[in-house]
């Protein structure tokens, strides 16, 4: 069965600190996709990144970076030099093996960045 | 600009009433989805549709109904059979390509039973 675990319910940091959001997933499939979404207070989920199971290269996009490790079934997300605008709930998601357009979401991590 | 429009943003329902949440997209996406979000929980799939006039139940379909008469529209009805309807409802759409392109989400409707 597909499952995504985000063990950190809420994290608080001070602006300019680095912060890592953890995501651990479970799947028996060899082909799958992982995603991170950001949900600001407005409510709309914003797509951040997609990673397929055959590409373990880490990715960096500005202050954001992602560490994908199949050996530990983890897809962690790091924000460097956090800013107040990063405050949001962040969701990790895993694709359904039979329908790549269907996803399983973790419970989310609420990030509070204080000035 | 292309996107997904959900309305209303806030909705109050009396017990025993049916209510319909609207979702419209102008992205020309084939697939549309309804998710429910409860505090401290992830999103749970209610229904999804990959083509017009066809839809499938998700993980928590009981007490909900949908229709897909037009490609652009995927309304969700919360019926009186849904015992705990107070939640945040998110509509999403996606391209139907077998590569996991991910969703575009609407801004959500917050439903409260009064």
């Amino acid at each position: 069965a597909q499952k995504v675990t985000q063990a950190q319910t809420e994290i608080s940091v001070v602006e300019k600190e680095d912060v890592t959001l953890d995501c651990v997933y479970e799947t028996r499939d060899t082909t799958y996709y992982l995603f991170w979404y950001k949900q600001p207070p407005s409510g709309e989920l914003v797509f951040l990144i997609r990673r397929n199971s055959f590409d373990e290269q880490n990715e960096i996009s500005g202050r954001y970076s992602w560490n994908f490790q199949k050996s530990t079934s983890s897809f962690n997300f790091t924000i460097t030099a956090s800013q107040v605008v990063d405050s949001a709930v962040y969701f990790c998601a895993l694709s359904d093996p039979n329908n790549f357009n269907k996803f399983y979401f973790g419970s989310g991590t609420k990030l509070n960045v204080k000035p | 600009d292309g996107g997904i429009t959900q309305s209303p943003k806030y909705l109050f329902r009396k017990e025993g009433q049916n209510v319909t949440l609207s979702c419209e997209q102008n992205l020309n996406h084939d697939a549309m989805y309804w998710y429910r979000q409860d505090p401290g929980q992830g999103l749970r799939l209610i229904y999804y549709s990959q083509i017009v006039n066809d839809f499938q139940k998700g993980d928590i379909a009981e007490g909900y109904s949908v229709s897909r008469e037009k490609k652009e529209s995927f309304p969700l009805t919360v019926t009186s059979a849904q015992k705990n309807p107070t939640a945040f409802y998110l509509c999403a759409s996606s391209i139907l390509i077998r590569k996991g392109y991910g969703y575009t989400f609407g801004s959500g409707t917050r439903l409260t039973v009064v």
Side-chain angles (χ1 to χ4, degrees):
Chain A
Q2 313 289 98
K3 185 179 178 182
V4 176
T5 301
Q6 294 180 257
Q8 303 152 308
T9 305
E10 188 165 352
I11 301 174
S12 292
V13 298
V14 177
E15 209 170 17
K16 298 184 182 177
E17 285 185 8
D18 298 347
V19 58
T20 295
L21 310 182
D22 298 332
C23 173
V24 174
Y25 63 92
E26 295 176 28
T27 181
R28 294 180 181 174
D29 303 285
T30 57
T31 303
Y32 52 88
Y33 289 85
L34 292 161
F35 298 79
W36 276 96
Y37 285 89
K38 174 182 180 179
Q39 185 179 40
S42 60
E44 181 176 343
L45 269 74
V46 177
F47 168 81
L48 295 178
I49 191 173
R50 177 185 80 236
R51 171 68 70 222
N52 74 56
S53 53
F54 298 108
D55 181 2
E56 289 194 69
Q57 243 185 344
N58 291 329
E59 183 158 338
I60 297 174
S61 176
R63 296 184 297 106
Y64 295 171
S65 62
W66 290 269
N67 182 3
F68 178 32
Q69 292 194 340
K70 288 178 75 171
S71 60
T72 56
S73 297
S74 65
F75 186 42
N76 297 337
F77 172 33
T78 297
I79 302 174
T80 302
S82 59
Q83 300 176 1
V84 173
V85 293
D86 296 327
S87 297
V89 180
Y90 291 86
F91 290 96
C92 181
L94 170 68
S95 61
D96 184 289
N98 298 313
N99 180 353
F100 285 139
N101 288 286
K102 185 180 170 187
F103 305 108
Y104 297 89
F105 286 82
S107 55
T109 296
K110 184 176 182 182
L111 176 63
N112 302 306
V113 181
K114 302 175 183 177
Chain B
D1 287 339
I4 297 180
T5 302
Q6 288 188 243
S7 61
K9 193 170 179 65
Y10 298 96
L11 187 57
F12 297 89
R13 188 195 95 169
K14 293 182 180 179
E15 290 201 29
Q17 277 185 340
N18 292 353
V19 290
T20 298
L21 283 59
S22 171
C23 178
E24 303 276 335
Q25 55 102 355
N26 60 3
L27 300 165
N28 200 31
H29 284 174
D30 298 296
M32 296 186 74
Y33 311 80
W34 275 105
Y35 279 88
R36 170 178 171 145
Q37 183 180 10
D38 294 284
Q41 297 190 35
L43 282 66
R44 292 182 290 168
L45 183 64
I46 304 172
Y47 269 99
Y48 66 102
S49 167
Q50 297 186 338
I51 57 172
V52 174
N53 293 323
D54 188 46
F55 46 83
Q56 286 76 40
K57 292 182 179 180
D59 301 315
I60 55 166
E62 185 174 350
Y64 300 98
S65 66
V66 293
S67 63
R68 187 88 185 274
E69 296 176 2
K70 299 186 299 181
K71 186 176 183 179
E72 303 78 20
S73 179
F74 192 41
L76 173 74
T77 297
V78 184
T79 74
S80 55
Q82 170 50 238
K83 298 305 179 188
N84 185 22
T86 295
F88 188 56
Y89 292 87
L90 283 158
C91 179
S93 68
S94 69
I95 302 170
L96 244 191
I97 298 174
R98 190 176 169 79
K99 287 186 179 179
Y101 272 85
Y103 297 154
T104 299
F105 280 90
S107 56
T109 293
R110 191 167 298 279
L111 173 63
T112 304
V113 173
V114 295

